[in-house]
Amino acid sequence: MSEKDQDTGKTRSFSTILLAYMILLALCIVGFMAINNYLYAQNNFERESNLLQEQTEHNIIEAMRLKNGVWNFYDKTLNDQMKEGLLLVLQEYNQTGSDPERMNLTVAKTTLGKNYDIYVINESGVIIMTTYAPELGQDFKSVPYFYEYLTKIRNSEGFFADHIVRDRLGEGILRKFAYMPTPDHRYIMELGFASNAFDELTFELADEAKIQQIVSVNPYVENFTIYN
């Protein structure tokens, strides 16, 4: 082989090595850029996902606060009429010589209105008289914390109002309950008030509908569950 052919072979070998290095360098640069872009996109995704999660949680919390605020405001507007109703029931109790057996609850209910129901609770926490038959005989000792609450009311003075809740027995409808102890502290007069407005307000402030509306804008939320 001539010296010229040897020089040509060396040149080709060097060019091949240089080309290989250039290709390897290009692959490294492309790989680095791809990894960098992936990490950047991942960080952006996680940041946006966290921001959207925080915003969704914030919106749900504010919606629940608004609902509770509306409920509490409406609930408190009923306290005065509940107090007046219980004073009328206590007047009936006093006129019978403090004998609940002689009370005419039907007449008292008629005077108050069809949306009201009257309950007489004895020292043992049992409903001994009521205009709402499904709860006659209800023994609140089966709910110790509530029986303790009733005992405190019976031994106290004044008016005690509860929030709007669903009754435990019967139709399970929404009612507002309020209590007053008798002057001799032997009984508790309880008044329950039900209204179609409760259901209408519940529909307008429905948790599921509001939450569904909020989470529908978050593509990462697949489902949700409400615990009461």
Side-chain angles (χ1 to χ4, degrees):
M1 180 180 292
S2 66
E3 184 177 341
K4 183 177 180 182
D5 291 337
Q6 290 178 352
D7 291 341
T8 302
K10 291 179 180 179
T11 302
R12 288 176 180 174
S13 177
F14 176 76
S15 299
T16 302
I17 294 173
L18 181 62
L19 178 61
Y21 274 114
M22 291 179 66
I23 292 173
L24 181 61
L25 179 62
L27 290 175
C28 290
I29 293 174
V30 171
F32 173 79
M33 292 179 63
I35 294 173
N36 185 63
N37 288 338
Y38 171 78
L39 293 175
Y40 178 77
Q42 184 182 41
N43 289 335
N44 276 346
F45 172 80
E46 291 178 353
R47 184 172 62 253
E48 291 177 3
S49 177
N50 290 335
L51 288 174
L52 188 55
Q53 177 181 336
E54 292 175 1
Q55 186 63 45
T56 301
E57 293 172 354
H58 174 75
N59 290 344
I60 291 175
I61 291 172
E62 290 304 312
M64 296 302 97
R65 285 179 177 171
L66 176 60
K67 173 196 170 181
N68 289 337
V70 172
W71 264 116
N72 289 336
F73 176 78
Y74 178 67
D75 187 282
K76 289 179 180 178
T77 63
L78 301 174
N79 285 344
D80 287 343
Q81 69 186 59
M82 298 293 285
K83 185 176 182 179
E84 292 177 3
L86 280 171
L87 289 174
L88 186 147
V89 175
L90 278 177
Q91 182 180 352
E92 172 71 15
Y93 175 78
N94 293 331
Q95 289 176 349
T96 63
S98 302
D99 182 1
E101 296 292 335
R102 297 173 56 196
M103 293 178 66
N104 194 329
L105 298 187
T106 302
V107 173
K109 174 181 171 65
T110 302
T111 303
L112 291 171
K114 64 178 182 179
N115 291 336
Y116 290 90
D117 277 297
I118 305 167
Y119 311 78
V120 180
I121 306 172
N122 66 8
E123 295 175 332
S124 299
V126 178
I127 297 178
I128 59 172
M129 294 180 64
T130 179
T131 57
Y132 188 60
E135 291 198 349
L136 181 63
Q138 169 72 13
D139 187 353
F140 289 112
K141 279 188 177 179
S142 61
V143 189
Y145 75 90
F146 191 67
Y147 173 67
E148 183 179 350
Y149 172 62
L150 290 177
T151 301
K152 289 181 179 179
I153 291 176
R154 184 172 53 78
N155 293 323
S156 302
E157 302 285 348
F159 170 78
F160 300 83
D162 273 352
H163 292 293
I164 298 171
V165 296
R166 293 195 180 277
D167 57 24
R168 290 171 52 83
L169 301 175
E171 302 172 0
I173 63 177
L174 288 169
R175 293 178 185 268
K176 179 174 175 62
F177 294 99
Y179 315 86
M180 268 189 179
T182 57
D184 54 16
H185 300 286
R186 294 176 57 199
Y187 303 96
I188 297 173
M189 298 297 153
E190 178 184 7
L191 199 62
F193 176 76
S195 171
N196 291 334
F198 294 170
D199 292 325
E200 293 173 4
L201 191 58
T202 299
F203 177 79
E204 292 295 329
L205 300 176
D207 290 344
E208 186 171 355
K210 294 296 180 183
I211 295 177
Q212 181 63 58
Q213 184 178 3
I214 292 171
V215 302
S216 64
V217 299
N218 188 333
Y220 309 120
V221 177
E222 296 181 358
N223 201 354
F224 65 90
T225 302
I226 299 175
Y227 296 93
N228 188 341

